[in-house]
Amino acid sequence: LAERVLAQTPSSVPAYLILAQAQANLGRLSQAKDFCTKALKIDPLSPQPHYLLAHIAQESMDSDAARQHYQKTLYLDPSFIPALLELSMLLDRPNEQARSRQLRRSAREQLLTLSPDQRIAPYAESAGQLLAHWTGDSETTQDGRAND
């Protein structure tokens, strides 16, 4: 379907991202990167290609490139919750724990603005579940409600 969309609308960033994700899922990381690069040529201010490139870099064991792409994602969209959380994990080492905690706090602030039931792509969890799981928020339950 994405290929048909591109045949009719060659500047469709979502179609390139679908193809990039499909190639990444198949382990074809080079092809996935190519589709992300094409998406960025069309829309250099789109955070999603950088987010996917960060995942591809992590799969390739290139944590420096992953960090750069997560940072670009957050530069373009400071409220991009998955990038906040995943960069915080990447930086969770002794010399960068303060930055890691700061990113988790930012993610928590963003999650608190959402309905606890709202699903956060690409995760299967809701905002409430992510609050409890990723940010260690002991003041919320799994569904995002405050503990009494």
Side-chain angles (χ1 to χ4, degrees):
L1 178 62
E3 290 169 335
R4 281 188 268 158
V5 169
L6 284 174
Q8 294 177 356
T9 313
S11 62
S12 174
V13 171
Y16 278 115
L17 291 175
I18 290 169
L19 291 170
Q21 186 65 61
Q23 292 301 310
N25 290 347
L26 294 170
R28 299 177 185 154
L29 302 182
S30 179
Q31 293 92 333
K33 284 172 66 172
D34 290 345
F35 283 124
C36 287
T37 301
K38 289 177 183 179
L40 285 169
K41 285 182 181 176
I42 295 165
D43 184 2
L45 299 179
S46 177
Q48 291 85 359
H50 287 291
Y51 177 73
L52 184 51
L53 285 166
H55 276 259
I56 293 166
Q58 281 190 287
E59 187 67 26
S60 301
M61 307 304 285
D62 187 348
S63 60
D64 289 337
R67 178 183 178 153
Q68 289 173 0
H69 283 292
Y70 283 133
Q71 288 172 330
K72 287 177 184 177
T73 302
L74 292 171
Y75 175 78
L76 295 168
D77 182 358
S79 66
F80 200 109
I81 294 168
L84 287 165
L85 294 172
E86 292 171 36
L87 182 56
S88 78
M89 271 192 3
L90 190 63
L91 298 179
D92 194 17
R93 45 187 173 220
N95 62 335
E96 300 197 73
Q97 284 184 341
R99 177 72 174 130
S100 178
R101 282 191 302 273
Q102 178 187 23
L103 290 164
R104 280 194 300 277
R105 278 193 303 273
S106 294
R108 181 181 187 278
E109 290 170 11
Q110 293 299 318
L111 288 165
L112 286 170
T113 67
L114 304 174
S115 164
D117 298 326
Q118 182 174 338
R119 184 178 173 274
I120 306 299
Y123 307 126
E125 291 108 344
S126 67
Q129 291 168 322
L130 285 173
L131 270 170
H133 176 77
W134 283 83
T135 65
D137 190 341
S138 60
E139 296 180 16
T140 58
T141 61
Q142 286 289 327
D143 63 1
R145 292 188 301 252
N147 281 333
D148 296 326

